[in-house]
Amino acid sequence: MSLHHSNVDKPVDPIKPDSLPEASHEDVAKGLAAIVDHSAQEPNIVSHIHAPLHSLAQAHWIHKFIPGIQKLAVEYHCGNYVVVRGSSEPFFETMPLYARLGMHLLFYGKEQVRILGNKRVDELLREQSIKQGKIFDDPKSVQSIPSFIETYSIQTEELLEPDISKYRNFNEFFYRQATISSKQNEDDKNVVISAADCRLTVYASVDLAKAIWVKGQNFNIPNLLNRPADSPVVASFQNASLAIFRLAPADYHRFHSPIDCEVGDFEYVGGQYYTVNPQAVNETGFDVFTANTRSILYLKHIPTGKLVAYVAIGALLVGSIVWTGGKQKGTVLKRGDELGYFAYGGSTIVVIFPKEVIEFDKDLVSNSERPIETLVKVGYSIGKVRTEVVE
């Protein structure tokens, strides 16, 4: 859902890229390349990349690349509603500039030209994502850390290393380590915890997820796991349940095991670098999760002995997906143990549970059916293993 600037209390239809009728694909491509190139030179570029669209009315350097963006910035707020867990009042999360440009490249003129799958666009998004990762690995990128902290009001006292001068580049700060709160669930071994600081949606079945949230025409378990439909692994996830953890750029970008488990097989699947913004995920016929680059780790759930699939999905301007705790097959992990991290950019994790293994918490189910994402912290409960499965 998106919000119109002149009516901040009422959601309206998503603001489509044809809201920029003056800008061509070439203009937007140059604009995306420009903000990536500027990030190597300007210490405040992180603020520009992630700025609410309306604040860009003052950013004159971007106007020359994208005709009409100033008008759009003045008239609209572009983004999504999210609800903080425990609250019934949604807040509005603005769409970062780079995600807006990625959306425009993918969807503009879709009725006239079949742009989805266009190799030139796909190559551009991949090229800029790889370039951004290299820029933020450069030691000079530490200049961007203060503006990033200010843009997102990041509480550095929650970090394991609160001294920002200790980080050698921006990416090191981006995948910073922080304290997590999994101890609250230690006494109840049936609790399944959040894998990340995230915006969360949960669905009891893939069909329900497709009906409400994920509109990709190729979204199914075989495609998500890159396995044949008749494979034993796919068969074990028939009528599976899904938890979708979307990490926004401001979030702590390390991810953790939601269950007590034993590490199993791993698979890397190359793919695209589309934005994982909900407006893309909710777009009918557009495949994000099954088209994007992803890493899949299989976890044996110790209480039930069943296989759980943990799918880490890259996105626009994500430098890489790095596994830390999930490297060695046979490693035993507890809930909350670190599995890995994403380098720069917003990202998503989809955890697939076998049928009727998990009963998601009622508040998360209710919000997901509205549908709206719930802001959840890593380590907090998202559901419980059904007792009849454990017994």
Side-chain angles (χ1 to χ4, degrees):
M1 290 183 288
S2 292
L3 193 66
H4 193 286
H5 180 60
S6 62
N7 189 352
V8 295
D9 295 320
K10 187 179 292 184
V12 297
D13 291 336
I15 297 167
K16 299 294 186 180
D18 57 10
S19 303
L20 281 173
E22 302 168 44
S24 68
H25 271 258
E26 193 66 26
D27 293 326
V28 180
K30 288 179 179 178
L32 180 62
I35 64 170
V36 171
D37 289 341
H38 272 63
S39 67
Q41 305 163 11
E42 299 288 339
N44 291 322
I45 190 61
V46 174
S47 297
H48 293 155
I49 290 174
H50 295 290
L53 193 61
H54 63 277
S55 72
L56 293 172
Q58 306 303 318
H60 298 294
W61 65 273
I62 198 67
H63 300 164
K64 66 180 181 180
F65 291 104
I66 310 172
I69 198 169
Q70 184 172 14
K71 180 180 178 182
L72 181 69
V74 170
E75 292 185 355
Y76 293 98
H77 285 306
C78 299
N80 318 283
Y81 277 111
V82 179
V83 64
V84 177
R85 193 165 197 186
S87 169
S88 60
E89 293 299 319
F91 71 93
F92 188 70
E93 180 181 275
T94 57
M95 185 188 295
L97 173 60
Y98 75 85
R100 171 65 191 180
L101 299 183
M103 289 278 290
H104 187 97
L105 282 166
L106 290 167
F107 297 120
Y108 185 80
K110 193 175 68 169
E111 297 303 318
Q112 293 77 26
V113 181
R114 183 67 179 173
I115 192 62
L116 301 184
N118 181 289
K119 288 186 177 181
R120 186 170 68 87
V121 173
D122 290 347
E123 288 170 0
L124 171 68
L125 297 179
R126 181 183 295 105
E127 176 186 281
Q128 297 305 319
S129 297
I130 293 171
K131 184 193 297 184
Q132 187 69 78
K134 291 179 178 178
I135 288 171
F136 283 149
D137 278 338
D138 189 295
K140 292 185 294 185
S141 65
V142 294
Q143 299 176 75
S144 294
I145 295 175
S147 69
F148 186 78
I149 292 172
E150 181 180 0
T151 297
Y152 286 117
S153 302
I154 293 172
Q155 305 300 309
T156 54
E157 64 270 15
E158 297 178 354
L159 306 183
L160 291 183
E161 179 49 80
D163 183 355
I164 64 173
S165 69
K166 298 292 181 63
Y167 295 93
R168 295 174 297 179
N169 54 51
F170 177 82
N171 250 339
E172 275 199 1
F173 181 79
F174 185 77
Y175 51 74
R176 59 200 177 272
Q177 291 181 292
T179 56
I180 68 168
S181 303
S182 59
K183 289 187 176 181
Q184 61 171 327
N185 299 306
E186 278 187 333
D187 294 335
D188 191 342
K189 297 301 182 183
N190 289 331
V191 169
V192 178
I193 66 171
S194 176
D197 284 2
C198 65
R199 291 94 178 102
L200 177 65
T201 48
V202 297
Y203 295 102
S205 71
V206 174
D207 286 345
L208 189 60
K210 291 176 69 172
I212 298 175
W213 191 253
V214 185
K215 300 299 185 179
Q217 62 184 1
N218 295 315
F219 182 75
N220 56 44
I221 297 300
N223 287 335
L224 187 62
L225 297 181
N226 196 43
R227 300 257 179 162
D230 59 354
S231 71
V233 169
V234 170
S236 71
F237 291 112
Q238 186 174 6
N239 298 318
S241 302
L242 303 176
I244 304 171
F245 307 84
R246 179 176 67 90
L247 286 68
D251 289 327
Y252 161 73
H253 259 63
R254 291 183 179 250
F255 47 82
H256 300 255
S257 176
I259 56 175
D260 294 334
C261 62
E262 180 181 316
V263 174
D265 292 329
F266 168 86
E267 181 180 0
Y268 171 78
V269 182
Q272 307 305 330
Y273 290 83
Y274 300 144
T275 173
V276 292
N277 186 277
Q279 287 188 19
V281 175
N282 301 159
E283 180 71 18
T284 301
F286 178 51
D287 293 293
V288 176
F289 296 153
T290 56
N292 275 19
T293 295
R294 55 201 185 278
S295 290
I296 305 162
L297 183 65
Y298 293 95
L299 305 172
K300 181 181 178 182
H301 185 216
I302 290 176
T304 64
K306 293 181 178 293
L307 204 62
V308 172
Y310 194 105
V311 186
I313 303 172
L316 181 60
L317 298 193
V318 171
S320 57
I321 303 168
V322 179
W323 295 92
T324 54
K327 283 184 176 180
Q328 298 297 323
K329 187 174 180 178
T331 300
V332 174
L333 300 174
K334 294 181 179 179
R335 290 171 300 169
D337 284 351
E338 183 181 302
L339 283 175
Y341 62 82
F342 294 104
Y344 182 77
S347 317
T348 291
I349 298 158
V350 178
V351 179
I352 310 171
F353 298 93
K355 180 183 178 182
E356 296 182 346
V357 163
I358 185 173
E359 182 175 1
F360 291 118
D361 291 340
K362 292 181 179 179
D363 63 322
L364 300 176
V365 172
S366 177
N367 287 341
S368 300
E369 290 177 348
R370 288 173 61 177
I372 190 171
E373 295 172 308
T374 305
L375 189 65
V376 177
K377 301 290 286 185
V378 62
Y380 281 68
S381 170
I382 66 167
K384 285 191 174 183
V385 177
R386 293 179 182 271
T387 54
E388 64 268 25
V389 179
V390 179
E391 294 172 352

